[in-house]
Amino acid sequence: MAKKQNQSNIVNSLNKLHVPQPTARPDEFNDFSNLNIPNVEQAECPAIDTNPHEMRGLAYGLIRVLDDDGNAAGNWNSTIEPHVLVKGLKDMLVTRMFDERMQMMHRVGKISFYMKSTGEEAISVAHAAAINFADMVFPSYRNQGILIARGYSLVDMMCQCLSNARDNCKGRQLPIMYSWKKGNFFSISGNLATQFSQAVGWAMAEAQQGGGRVASAFVGEGSTAELDFHSALTFATAFSPPVILNITNNQWAISSNQVVAGGEKTTFAARGIGFGLPSLRVDGNDFLAVYAATKWAAARARAGLGATVIEYFTYRVAPHSSSDDPSAYRPKNEPDFWPLGDPIDRLKTHLINLNQWSETQHETLIEDIKTEMKQNYKQAESYGTLKSGDRPDVTTMFEDVYEDMPLNLLRQRQEMGL
Amino acid sequence: MAKKQNQSNIVNSLNKLHVPQPTARPDEFNDFSNLNIPNVEQAECPAIDTNPHEMRGLAYGLIRVLDDDGNAAGNWNSTIEPHVLVKGLKDMLVTRMFDERMQMMHRVGKISFYMKSTGEEAISVAHAAAINFADMVFPSYRNQGILIARGYSLVDMMCQCLSNARDNCKGRQLPIMYSWKKGNFFSISGNLATQFSQAVGWAMAEAQQGGGRVASAFVGEGSTAELDFHSALTFATAFSPPVILNITNNQWAISSNQVVAGGEKTTFAARGIGFGLPSLRVDGNDFLAVYAATKWAAARARAGLGATVIEYFTYRVAPHSSSDDPSAYRPKNEPDFWPLGDPIDRLKTHLINLNQWSETQHETLIEDIKTEMKQNYKQAESYGTLKSGDRPDVTTMFEDVYEDMPLNLLRQRQEMGL
Amino acid sequence: MAQMNMLEAILSAQKTMLARDDKVVILGQDIGYFGGVFRATEGLQAEFGSNRVFDTPISENGIVAAAIGMSLNGLRPIAEIQFADYIYPAFDQIASEAAKLRYRSGGEYSTNLTIRTPCGGGIRGGQTHSQSPEGIFTHVTGIHVIMPSNPYDAKGLLISAIQSNDPVIFFEPKRLYNGPFYGEPDKPSVGWDSHEKGEVPEGHYTIPFGKAAITRAGEDLTIITYGTMVHVVETAVKMAGVDAEIIDLRSLAPIDNDTIINSVNKTGRCLVAHEATKTGGFGAEILSIIQENCFWKLRAPIERVTGWDIPYPHAFEWEYFPGPKRITNAINRIMEA
Amino acid sequence: MAQMNMLEAILSAQKTMLARDDKVVILGQDIGYFGGVFRATEGLQAEFGSNRVFDTPISENGIVAAAIGMSLNGLRPIAEIQFADYIYPAFDQIASEAAKLRYRSGGEYSTNLTIRTPCGGGIRGGQTHSQSPEGIFTHVTGIHVIMPSNPYDAKGLLISAIQSNDPVIFFEPKRLYNGPFYGEPDKPSVGWDSHEKGEVPEGHYTIPFGKAAITRAGEDLTIITYGTMVHVVETAVKMAGVDAEIIDLRSLAPIDNDTIINSVNKTGRCLVAHEATKTGGFGAEILSIIQENCFWKLRAPIERVTGWDIPYPHAFEWEYFPGPKRITNAINRIMEA
Ligand SMILES: Cc1ncc(C[n+]2csc(CCOP(=O)(O)OP(=O)(O)O)c2C)c(N)n1
Ligand SMILES: Cc1ncc(C[n+]2csc(CCOP(=O)(O)OP(=O)(O)O)c2C)c(N)n1
Ligand SMILES: [Mg+2]
Ligand SMILES: [Mg+2]
């Protein structure tokens, strides 16, 4: 036995549990030089009906389309209509500026909580651009870009965050826990990953009824450790439903680096290989790569070929939430060194290279969004804030627990004098 | 995009959910000709400190040592002392005959339930032979061979099945739900797979304390769908503890073929690849292969290299349990066609080839075991059967819920007049 | 009308609904080709196809999650959990998701999921095939909790469950599948043909949630129970020779306060019985409702007769079980108080 | 003695035990380098090393399972579940494994696992950061359920939990971390330095399980409660101007029947208060114990004041919360009855 020799990869010193550690802590330095970023030519683009076993390599590489100069190249490059890209750029900007506005509103006490998606906008926005509006999204809490790309009203989003009288969640949910049924956007759960396995069920029903739509679910890399991730992949491999299982690997889960979730020994895309599913690892800050990978996965799903797992490799520039201060656990300047750049800058450069965009247009757009954002916020605030007392009617508190209100709730409502 | 062409592997017809189906149902025929059984030379045997990424192939092949003529060969072949093999043969025979005896005792109403391991004896027995007695086993309910290989008293096993006065589980558990602390054999749980994640915790504590022992946990292929399987692999990859994560793929989970558990698109060993863990797929009916794979995994664990996933490819010859009649869901003669043979026959032939065993010795041994089994059963029955009333003292019913009996239980015991 | 045992009634309810509503699907472990370890779905895959009735991987969490997802896409799933003792891996999907979805989404989304699961002891199943965990779910607002005691109710209530737009957990006392159980394990077992509730219509009918049944009218005391214990209590009442009013709750959530309150106000005495362990069990809620509403009419302390606060022990099944004798003793104490 | 808030007391208990017993380890999400989202383990990894205090993947099931496994190998793990609302994925490992292991193995194996988890509302956390699920666990025999109401008790009880050879779920009312909460969200918050129970010994001491505290002696009625509600009840009692006896249960399982029974036998009137939803909550068990044991001394119906039977709504936090006014109303009803 044990014929071939190899360098040691011993990870445990005896007498000590191996506890995975991030590259750097606050007083240390990390320029991500440990990362191996392949160039855009590296990843092959197999036909969608290729046997998943023949494309395992995609889970270990990195699908990229935009090179460092903002030019599109490689096997995953395809023609995308410029207006799609311009819309993508705009949606990413709106997403970022919406986040900034709401973060500010949290700081001044207008809303109780907020979560930004800064640096991760391409994932939501390009993904939304690459699937159909009728496709059903099972989002995590960092997919506000999908709502924006699908044209959800910013005022409605703000009203949800304000828990005011126009909040369609009727004041029951934390800010950012959106639900938009008409937009085929599932109600966000506070319980991590539960939507992942539900999405597979939705897609099973779609296959069963032959509707031709696709389900698309998102989790963070930290949440892949949760049980529903396993249920999702198990049912996805068994029943081959039309579903895209997206993992946003933004390196952090609150204070826990992706190594804690099990990212030390392999990629998160590789989880899909364990189930014989096609598994793509994608530059999440590359709008065109996210778009291409999503299109590919959606085409597979629609062709009856079943589920695809996609890991988006990105970086959580923002704090985890408004309650978090990342300088307590990672170098303050770590975001600046993220080697895959900023998704907005990269798409902008690309569009400028294509002569479809200019610095002036960009600046004008930003000003326009700013103005719009202010107006929207003003309007949203006119429906009240949590503090102003313009909340949904308090009697609604007892509704929607069941379809019909049972006696115990009727009596409790009476007891409250409502 | 989509440059390379490939044959279609479309699995879903539109308008219909893909529901995985076994090769054959009762009135059909299955000779397993769909299985691709590689020969003994195929599998490489890497050094234990090889990077797991370089041995992914092992999850898709089949580690075998005994060829069809009962000769040992291939990269995983190693010198095993003949007395180890003879003990292995004997332990397998005892296991099989114990099962038969107890199944009979169930049929005549002496015990309430039973589960046989027929055809799967090599997995438990060779695995037990290849790890140390001090290593901690977290078994499933089909690992009685480990108890036997470790020298647990057959009388004690029978007493547990009889729920009699000498049952060390004090009549609280179904038959076969053994617990043998002195034998480093964990209490079997009725809840599938819960032991898998616990074993990882045990191994984490072992690494933390530097004890040098290994944990070894077992689940069936059907149980890999359970949540604790995911927790086990997630924690195993994150903390690299000394644990062997064994999957017995005996093709069936009650009436559900292994395809239902997600065995259609890839192997169960591949699940480990998803986590960057070394993952072996092993001929479970080949004593020498099970032994070699276990030794390799245990050596890795003891060297601080962390967890190994092993899938044992085998066949559940027996019904699921005494409550099951497999002819309702699989061809009656399916077991006869299992291409990997019978583990006892294969080891016996090998030992005869080695001139370490003979047909006469074999027959004598069987007779001896038969006699011993009868005597043991007689002794066990002398301590009572569930029906005879020689149960553990009924007052013990209120003990061991907590370390000290709380007041509510004291009062309930009084209320019972005990 | 036909003669059905409880399993046949449950099968019939599912078959009726599969035929009536093509959105109804059934999923669970071993429920497809094989028809379920208790045969509660026998023949349904053959009749309705594997697109409607199919086996799942062994993941209770995955089953419930998939069923929730399917319901969000217009289907009406029935999920079987093979034993109630194995429902816990699905607890998060039930308590955090199914139960709270309608509320958290402001009514935008909801699930109509029905979970069927066999519960209770009496089959020598040991501690992991005998539990009655209903008391864990009755504390989770947003789900209905049902437990029938006979074939007629089982079919009518199960059809209501399937038709309900709320999530429902439907507990099936497995000891009753083949016949009523009067609490005397040594007596020969009898079939449902010996019981009037073994007469079950072939077609579609419903029994509303939140309506208890008075299975015996009486004046001396009220006994509130459900599931297997309905029949055990009947035996005890005969043994004690009292004129008890027996209430079979059938529906635990919603619960039929009025029937309970009216009866106890009339009798002034009350006993609550269930097979589950005592502390924190659903009996405590029943007792509380009575105490809060009937205080001035109570003439004796309400007692609970339940399983002991221990796991269900294989060898001591009948010592654990709250049998007729324990109930009779309690009845006597209550009547003498 | 030192001044500690409840977080500091919990930190101190863990630190004391880490120093005293090298078998003690702590695991959970974000509890290592970062020191926990509530800072309950701040500095412990720096002091005791990552071999003793470490982050885990985000899997509540995995955390509890690993902790059980570690305890089987001689360690004494403390597992943090970041919010009690997220304990459900671990439900099976808690209810089927930790709670039943000693029993099923005939006493051969057992787990000493302590689970710490912040519970309760009052921080605008919405429905998934506010729950009080203790009533789900008090129905699971084989585990201890503890909920302290102040720093002194928190430290003493947590040390008892860590030292216990049984599994313990230790619920920490997060609203009390920084100071007592008297049920009036609009009033300026006060620190634990204003409360005598903010005086906490620096070293090792224990408070036994199963012993309630009488936080106010009185003759008019008994109020039984625990956690945050202990202080809210205090406010209500002042407002109502009654001479109430307030019992802080501290330990729900085991429960201190004697203190409860003696008090209610003395006062003849009783109110039970908790923040969790009403139906099937632990209040029902308390009420049942009293009814069963004090029936002849009761002069008025026992009432329960609890959270409504709805998920904890973000915008209606204080409408959901069983505040002083609702308690006062109930006190008045009980006193007038
Ligand atoms: C079941 C559950 N456990 C714990 C939490 C607390 N929690 C909220 S977000 C989070 C980190 C998630 O990280 P990741 O999945 O990587 O997503 P990201 O925040 O990076 O987008 C944690 C632990 C939760 N919401 N639900
Ligand atoms: C949590 C849980 N769900 C369901 C069951 C019921 N059950 C017992 S054995 C079994 C099949 C397991 O099959 P597999 O894991 O392949 O093991 P094998 O019986 O083949 O050895 C099932 C579904 C259980 N015991 N626990
Ligand atoms: Mg993340
Ligand atoms: Mg199997």
Side-chain angles (χ1 to χ4, degrees), chain B residues 115 120 140-142 190-192 219-224 226 248 250-254 316 320, chain C residues 29-30 58 60 82-83 85-86 89 129, chain D residues 92:
Chain B
M115 297 181 102
E120 306 174 36
S140 94
Y141 47 71
R142 231 182 276 282
N191 304 72
L192 292 173
V219 283
E221 91 294 341
S223 305
T224 61
E226 284 287 6
T248 303
N250 62 5
Q251 313 302 318
W252 293 95
I254 309 186
R316 194 197 78 206
H320 172 70
Chain C
Q29 295 156 23
D30 302 299
I58 305 175
E60 292 73 13
Q82 207 163 72
F83 286 88
D85 318 59
Y86 303 141
H129 300 85
Chain D
D92 190 46

Side-chain angles (χ1 to χ4, degrees), chain A residues 220-222 248-253:
Chain A
E221 91 294 341
T248 302
N249 178 1
N250 63 3
Q251 312 303 317
W252 292 96

Side-chain angles (χ1 to χ4, degrees), chain D residues 97-128:
Chain D
E97 296 295 311
K100 300 200 174 74
L101 181 51
R102 187 191 295 277
Y103 195 77
R104 80 167 191 237
S105 67
E108 284 200 341
Y109 293 101
S110 60
T111 180
N112 56 33
L113 157 71
T114 299
I115 298 174
R116 289 183 40 246
T117 189
C119 68
I123 62 153
R124 279 264 182 259
Q127 56 171 355
T128 55

Side-chain angles (χ1 to χ4, degrees), chain A residues 115 120 140-142 190-192 219-224 226 248 250 252-254 316 320, chain C residues 92, chain D residues 29-30 58 60 82-83 86 89 129:
Chain A
M115 297 181 102
E120 306 175 34
S140 96
Y141 47 72
R142 232 182 275 283
N191 304 72
L192 292 171
V219 284
E221 91 294 341
S223 305
T224 61
E226 284 290 6
T248 302
N250 63 3
W252 292 96
I254 308 186
R316 194 197 77 207
H320 172 70
Chain C
D92 191 45
Chain D
Q29 296 157 22
D30 302 298
I58 305 176
E60 291 74 14
Q82 207 163 73
F83 286 88
Y86 303 140
H129 300 85

Side-chain angles (χ1 to χ4, degrees), chain A residues 282-351:
Chain A
V282 177
D283 177 349
N285 291 14
D286 177 342
F287 187 97
L288 275 67
V290 174
Y291 185 90
T294 303
K295 276 269 177 218
W296 187 91
R300 280 194 86 254
R302 267 185 257 281
L305 290 156
T308 302
V309 173
I310 309 183
E311 172 187 356
Y312 303 105
F313 201 63
T314 184
Y315 188 84
R316 194 197 77 207
V317 174
H320 172 70
S321 74
S322 54
S323 325
D324 180 46
D325 171 13
S327 72
Y329 52 79
R330 70 183 188 192
K332 253 208 177 81
N333 62 2
E334 196 181 81
D336 305 335
F337 290 94
W338 181 244
L340 295 171
D342 179 272
I344 295 181
D345 290 349
R346 286 174 71 190
L347 183 57
K348 177 184 147 202
T349 311
H350 179 60
L351 276 168

